[in-house]
């Protein structure tokens, strides 16, 4: 078995934090801004809630534009610090926010994809989390990130290892793209029925006045905490979410696995502290930590309808706190939404269920591919697997 030499990350990469944007400059239009919440499951999601206006952009921000070879690392936050991700395909311009480290490898010294795969090992996330431990909010610095020592085989071997692992990532991304298309179809169907009120038979249903404007007769305006059930997650120690098959969700998504009994067979997860209003979904048994809500159907009767209803709400208006944002149930519980009659809800679920079934199947495929890749990853990086044999 080969034993590769080691090198410090700072010797083969530039490492620095993203730009400190002013909150008043961010809005719904312009260049999307990547934040810690965008780093999920070893990837960087292109879905951004905040944007920086094009007219405010100047040359001093050029170094904070995401490059295709960049790896991003979360520098702040319990449950987030040390998380590593890379955007598989850069579909346009993105800016990187403060407290997100930009790791920009020097391609004359190393293969950037190899650097990402090396950093994506859980070993490094745990190291970085350990660096961030201390009083108050966990934090790490660019200097600490640069001190990480990576395996450093010859460049051709780096490229071969990166090619093998990238093939898995491409299959994963193909499934993600299909999931995104299916979810956009479901959301368009939802808006057709529940926003524009063009559900089957709508022509014969008169409109009546309501606090939310004219709505179809028989529909109700209800508080969101009546239409859906919101249960706070529970505290779980870090050492209890380092191993186990039951995924543990926090406000930022999956933050580990546990052997504890699951809180729910499936659920919607909504951020309560930190990434307030961030939404995640699990069709498998899972655990939810105390910085998030476990959301279930109530007067809105189906999981799919509950999920799509939440996607339409801008929860930022209910967020309090500056240093550590929070959003308790009494902040948003009185938000009013529409609840359709049972027959409309059932009709929608019949049409949406096949789309969700396909999404769940593709999600399972992604999980299987990711597990296989993650089993290969340490063996390839340690030299335990002969990459030349795989090449043949």
């Amino acid at each position: 078995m080969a034993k590769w030499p080691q090198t410090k990350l700072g010797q083969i990469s530039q490492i620095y934090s993203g730009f400190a944007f002013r909150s008043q400059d961010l809005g719904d239009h312009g260049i999307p801004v990547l934040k810690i919440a965008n780093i999920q499951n070893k990837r960087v999601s292109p879905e951004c809630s905040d944007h920086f206006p094009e007219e405010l952009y100047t040359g001093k921000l050029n170094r904070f534009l995401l490059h295709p070879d960049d790896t991003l690392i979360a520098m702040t936050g319990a449950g987030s610090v040390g998380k590593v991700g890379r955007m598989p395909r850069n579909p346009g311009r993105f800016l990187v926010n403060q407290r997100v480290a930009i790791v920009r490898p020097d391609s004359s010294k190393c293969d950037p994809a190899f650097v990402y795969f090396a950093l994506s090992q859980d070993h490094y996330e745990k190291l970085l989390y350990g660096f961030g431990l201390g009083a108050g909010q966990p934090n790490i610095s660019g200097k600490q990130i640069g001190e990480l020592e990576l395996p450093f085989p010859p460049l051709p071997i780096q490229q071969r290892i990166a090619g093998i692992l990238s093939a898995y990532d491409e299959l994963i991304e193909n499934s993600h793209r299909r999931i995104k298309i299916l979810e956009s179809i479901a959301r368009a169907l939802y808006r057709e029925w529940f926003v524009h009120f063009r559900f089957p038979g709508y022509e014969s249903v008169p409109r009546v006045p309501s606090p939310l404007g004219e709505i179809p007769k028989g529909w109700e305006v209800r508080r969101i905490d009546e239409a859906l059930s919101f249960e706070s997650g529970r505290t779980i120690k870090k050492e209890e979410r380092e191993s186990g098959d039951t995924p543990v969700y926090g406000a930022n998504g999956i933050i580990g696995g546990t052997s504890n009994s699951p809180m729910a067979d499936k659920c919607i997860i909504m951020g309560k502290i930190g990434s307030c209003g961030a939404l995640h979904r699990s069709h498998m048994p899972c655990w939810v930590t105390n910085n998030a809500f476990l959301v279930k159907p109530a007067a809105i009767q189906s999981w799919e309808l509950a999920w799509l209803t939440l996607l339409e709400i801008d929860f930022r208006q209910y967020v309090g706190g500056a240093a550590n944002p929070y959003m308790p149930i009494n902040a948003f519980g009185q938000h009013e939404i529409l609840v359709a009659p049972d027959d409309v809800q059932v009709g929608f679920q019949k049409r949406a269920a096949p789309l969700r079934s396909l999404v769940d199947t593709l999600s399972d495929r992604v999980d299987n591919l990711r597990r296989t890749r993650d089993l290969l990853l340490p063996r390839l990086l340690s030299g335990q697997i002969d990459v030349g044999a795989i090449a043949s």
Side-chain angles (χ1 to χ4, degrees):
M1 181 176 73
K3 180 68 173 177
W4 309 127
Q6 302 276 306
T7 190
K8 289 187 177 181
L9 181 60
Q11 295 176 342
I12 56 173
S13 305
Q14 293 183 59
I15 303 166
Y16 54 93
S17 178
F19 186 73
F21 294 99
R22 299 188 307 170
S23 58
Q24 60 264 39
D25 289 336
L26 300 178
D28 297 328
H29 303 286
I31 305 169
V33 177
L34 296 168
K35 298 185 175 183
I36 287 174
N38 292 89
I39 305 174
Q40 290 291 325
N41 297 321
K42 315 295 186 187
R43 64 193 294 271
V44 175
S45 167
E47 306 298 328
C48 298
S49 58
D50 288 316
H51 298 71
F52 187 74
E54 290 276 4
E55 60 269 22
L56 297 181
Y57 185 86
T58 63
K60 74 175 184 178
L61 295 175
N62 286 346
R63 72 192 298 257
F64 302 105
L65 285 171
L66 184 72
H67 289 193
D69 289 338
D70 289 348
T71 293
L72 303 184
I73 298 177
M75 303 176 75
T76 298
S80 299
V81 67
K83 281 192 170 185
V84 174
R86 188 180 189 216
M87 191 174 289
R89 289 185 178 180
N90 192 336
R93 287 200 302 169
F94 292 85
L95 286 162
V96 181
N97 196 41
Q98 65 178 332
R99 307 309 299 157
V100 176
I102 300 169
V103 178
R104 187 161 291 167
D106 183 343
S107 58
S108 68
K109 298 179 180 178
C110 60
D111 183 276
F114 174 86
V115 171
Y116 156 69
F117 285 118
L119 287 172
S120 71
Q121 296 177 95
D122 291 341
H123 165 69
Y124 291 106
E125 183 175 321
K126 291 176 182 177
L127 273 178
L128 290 171
Y129 185 89
F131 292 159
L133 290 179
Q137 180 89 317
N139 288 284
I140 55 174
S141 67
K143 182 179 179 181
Q144 288 173 312
I145 295 171
E147 290 296 312
L148 292 177
E149 292 193 341
L150 308 184
F152 201 65
L155 186 57
I157 293 179
Q158 292 183 35
Q159 292 166 338
R160 180 57 192 152
I161 290 173
I164 293 167
L165 296 171
S166 293
Y168 279 91
D169 273 7
E170 182 60 30
L171 291 172
I172 290 170
E173 286 310 307
N174 284 339
S175 293
H176 277 304
R177 285 191 285 273
R178 291 179 64 190
I179 288 171
K180 188 174 181 179
I181 291 169
L182 291 166
E183 289 181 334
S184 68
I185 293 171
R187 194 164 185 181
L189 181 65
Y190 171 88
R191 293 185 64 83
E192 184 74 3
W193 284 42
F194 298 96
V195 177
H196 304 299
F197 305 132
R198 290 194 286 264
F199 51 91
Y202 75 94
E203 301 92 341
S204 61
V205 180
R207 302 286 180 90
V208 296
S210 84
L212 298 180
E214 287 200 341
I215 63 174
K217 186 176 181 180
W219 291 46
E220 293 182 278
V221 176
R222 301 280 291 272
R223 288 169 43 137
I224 193 170
D225 59 3
E226 298 172 340
L228 297 170
S229 165
F230 294 87
E231 175 188 346
S232 288
R234 303 173 194 166
T235 301
I236 182 170
K237 297 178 181 177
K238 186 176 188 296
E239 56 268 24
E240 293 179 333
R241 54 179 171 84
E242 290 185 340
S243 62
D245 295 330
T246 299
V248 177
Y249 282 86
N252 286 322
I254 294 177
I255 58 173
T258 183
S259 57
N260 294 352
S261 299
M263 289 180 62
D265 290 336
K266 61 180 179 179
C267 69
I268 296 166
I269 303 95
M270 187 171 80
K272 176 175 67 171
I273 299 172
S275 297
C276 299
L279 293 168
H280 314 283
R281 182 170 182 162
S282 175
H283 68 286
M284 303 287 287
C286 65
W287 182 279
V288 180
T289 65
N290 61 348
N291 68 351
F293 291 108
L294 188 161
V295 188
K296 297 180 180 179
I300 291 177
Q301 300 170 13
S302 76
W303 290 100
E304 190 64 15
L305 191 50
W307 170 253
L308 293 165
T309 299
L310 290 169
L311 288 178
E312 293 293 317
I313 302 171
D314 183 358
F315 287 100
R316 289 176 295 182
Q317 59 190 304
Y318 300 112
V319 177
N324 195 21
Y326 64 93
M327 191 182 67
I329 184 68
N330 58 12
F332 66 88
Q334 296 184 37
H335 181 93
E336 293 182 327
I337 60 175
L338 287 179
V339 177
D342 291 353
D343 61 325
V344 176
Q345 293 195 43
V346 170
F348 178 80
Q349 179 62 17
K350 287 180 178 178
R351 289 163 175 79
L355 296 172
R356 176 50 52 183
S357 178
L358 283 172
V359 167
D360 290 345
T361 298
L362 288 167
S363 297
D364 290 340
R365 184 183 185 216
V366 166
D367 290 341
N368 289 333
L369 286 166
R370 188 177 288 125
R371 278 193 291 270
T372 303
R373 181 203 60 192
D374 291 348
L375 285 171
L376 275 175
L377 180 58
R379 293 179 171 90
L380 288 168
L381 293 175
S382 67
Q384 184 177 348
I385 294 178
D386 181 358
V387 295
I390 296 177
S392 63

